[in-house]
Each structure stands twice: as structure tokens, then as C-alpha cells.
Amino acid sequence: MTETIPVPSRLALSFKARREELNLTQEDVASRVTALLTPPGKLTQQVYAAFEKGRSQSTRYAPAIAKALDLPIEVLEEEWASAAPAESSRRPILANAKYIEEPIALWGDEPPFGDVVEVPMLKEIALSDGSGQMSVVEQGKVKLGFSKSALLSMDIDIANVVCITVSGNSMEPVIPDGGRAGVDRGRTEVRDGDIFAINHDGQLRVKVLYRTPRGGLRMRSFNRDEHPDEEYSAEGIRSENIEIIGRVFWYSVLR
């Protein structure tokens, strides 16, 4: 399997050239940018390095990086303009949604169907031995917004279903902080590009997974600007105590 070498964007190359001209390290740039951001905003050296090396092709911190490197804002405008497709080469705009014509009915305390699904909730808890280690356990139950028959139609065994709450911004904009997700513990075989819940040494995580050669694993976040890919060899999976809990088959978000 041939490894793809990342190619930095023109903007990343401009930032790197300016950084080297000023004799700054990547850590220096990250610190300067962080000082310009409103707390708790922060740019880490790892995130900046991922952009500069081409592992990330864009960054929302570009204006702040330009300011930290004392580059004129025109540099951003020129680079973005050069990356924009010509009018003649743009794809036709196609709709990917439609209005729901039926009126929306609100539930009361009880859902409109009798066979509502109630499943365990997974949470992280600290072990009682004082070691500071975390463990992922079932704690309480939650009702999901669909019926048992709907799960059966998806070939999902209700006994394998658990619910989790996603925290942090790594999976934004698809699953933002506070979003809930349903996990099928009966499906742990990795399908490249699918979303899975993971027990990572006692930490409950949600990531897009990809298989890598010789039994390895790549974890990907939707917010790749701030959360670069993580890669683990087969040995790394064992030493990091990484366990795939199951496939995320449903998630719900209120914005």
C-alpha cells in the first residue's frame, strides 16, 4: 500500500517561508497566535504543524497566523482567490434537502408509539482506587426517539444498543458538543470512513475510523483543523488499551 505524502497549500508555504524568515519555531507561531485569540481559544504547535505540513488544507486561524507573522491581509485574499475555482469549472448547484410537508407534532411526556427504546447510557467514571484512571461503564438509562421496530428493520439487536453523549469540538460540525449518539455494540468491525465509539484506556471517544496496514488504525475527527489524525499500529492499539465499543448508527443534535 503506497503512503500518500501530504502537499501543503500555497498559504501554508507562505506562512512557513515567513516563519523561517523571522527565525521562529512552530511553537513560537502557536504561542503568538494564542496570545491574539480570545480565551479559551488556543492554537497548539501540533495543529499549526499539521497545516504547515499539508496534513490539513485549511485553518480557521489563518487571519491570526498572518497577523502573528506580520503578513498583510492581502496575502490571504490572494491565496484564497487562487484556490477558488473558475466560474466555468464550478459544478452545478444541486439541492440535497426538501421541506417536510406534514405538520410537525410535538410529543408530550410519552412518545406517540408504545414500543419506545430505552437503553443504557455509557459514561466515564474515575476508579475508586485513587489511581486517577478512568473507566467506561453503564450508568442509568435513556429513552431514544424511535421505536424497537425501527431498530429491528435496521438489523440492530436492541440488547447491543447503548447511548453516549459527545463532548468537545473534535467532531464538529457534524456532532457538536452535547450531541447524543446511539451505538451498536454488535458491529465493531471497522468499515473505512464510518463513525465508531471507542474506549481509549478508559476515555470514551467518538471518531471516524480507517484501517491501516498490518492491523493498524487511523482515528479521524471532523474538525481536522484542531484535531489532526491519530495513527496507531497493532502494538499501539494494545499498549494504548484501545477497544472499539461499536458503530454509531444514530446521532441527535439540538443547535
Side-chain angles (χ1 to χ4, degrees), residues 21 77 88 104 108 112 116 119 150 152 207 228 254:
E21 179 184 344
E77 295 172 351
S88 59
I104 298 175
V116 62
V119 299
L152 293 174
K207 296 293 176 185
L254 288 177

Side-chain angles (χ1 to χ4, degrees), residues 167-188:
S167 59
N169 69 346
S170 67
M171 297 303 282
E172 290 186 348
V174 179
I175 314 178
D177 182 38
R180 282 189 172 180
V183 179
D184 180 7
R185 292 181 292 187
R187 296 184 181 177
T188 58

Side-chain angles (χ1 to χ4, degrees), residues 55-239:
R55 292 199 298 268
S56 299
Q57 289 296 305
S58 63
T59 174
R60 62 176 177 172
Y61 297 113
I65 295 172
K67 186 173 182 180
L69 294 173
D70 197 24
L71 285 170
I73 196 66
E74 288 77 11
V75 171
L76 301 181
E77 295 172 351
E78 291 172 2
E79 300 298 342
W80 287 337
S82 66
E87 289 290 339
S88 59
S89 64
R90 289 179 181 169
R91 296 180 179 180
I93 298 173
L94 302 176
N96 68 343
K98 64 179 181 179
Y99 285 105
I100 299 175
E101 297 180 355
E102 295 80 5
I104 298 175
L106 298 179
W107 292 0
D109 293 333
E110 294 297 328
F113 36 76
D115 60 344
V116 62
V117 175
E118 187 175 55
V119 299
M121 190 78 177
L122 288 190
K123 293 187 177 181
E124 300 168 354
I125 64 167
L127 296 179
S128 58
D129 59 6
S131 64
Q133 292 291 315
M134 303 294 290
S135 178
V136 177
V137 300
E138 294 183 8
Q139 194 172 72
K141 292 196 173 185
V142 62
K143 291 182 178 180
L144 302 184
F146 39 77
S147 65
K148 296 176 183 178
S149 57
L151 286 181
L152 293 174
S153 68
M154 297 169 63
D155 197 27
I156 296 176
D157 187 342
I158 298 170
N160 288 331
V161 176
V162 292
C163 189
I164 60 176
T165 299
V166 179
S167 59
N169 69 346
S170 67
M171 297 303 282
E172 290 186 348
V174 179
I175 314 178
D177 182 38
R180 282 189 172 180
V183 179
D184 180 7
R185 292 181 292 187
R187 296 184 181 177
T188 58
E189 183 178 353
V190 174
R191 294 190 302 177
D192 289 350
D194 214 343
I195 308 173
F196 290 85
I198 306 154
N199 182 348
H200 191 160
D201 198 21
Q203 302 291 328
L204 184 58
R205 310 182 74 190
V206 175
K207 296 293 176 185
V208 179
L209 298 185
Y210 294 86
R211 295 166 296 177
T212 58
R214 295 176 290 279
L217 196 64
R218 177 183 298 121
M219 297 185 190
R220 175 165 294 175
S221 303
F222 286 117
N223 181 5
R224 297 177 67 188
D225 282 353
E226 299 181 64
H227 302 270
D229 288 0
E230 303 171 33
E231 294 208 13
Y232 300 90
S233 64
E235 175 59 31
I237 292 173
R238 289 189 291 272
S239 64

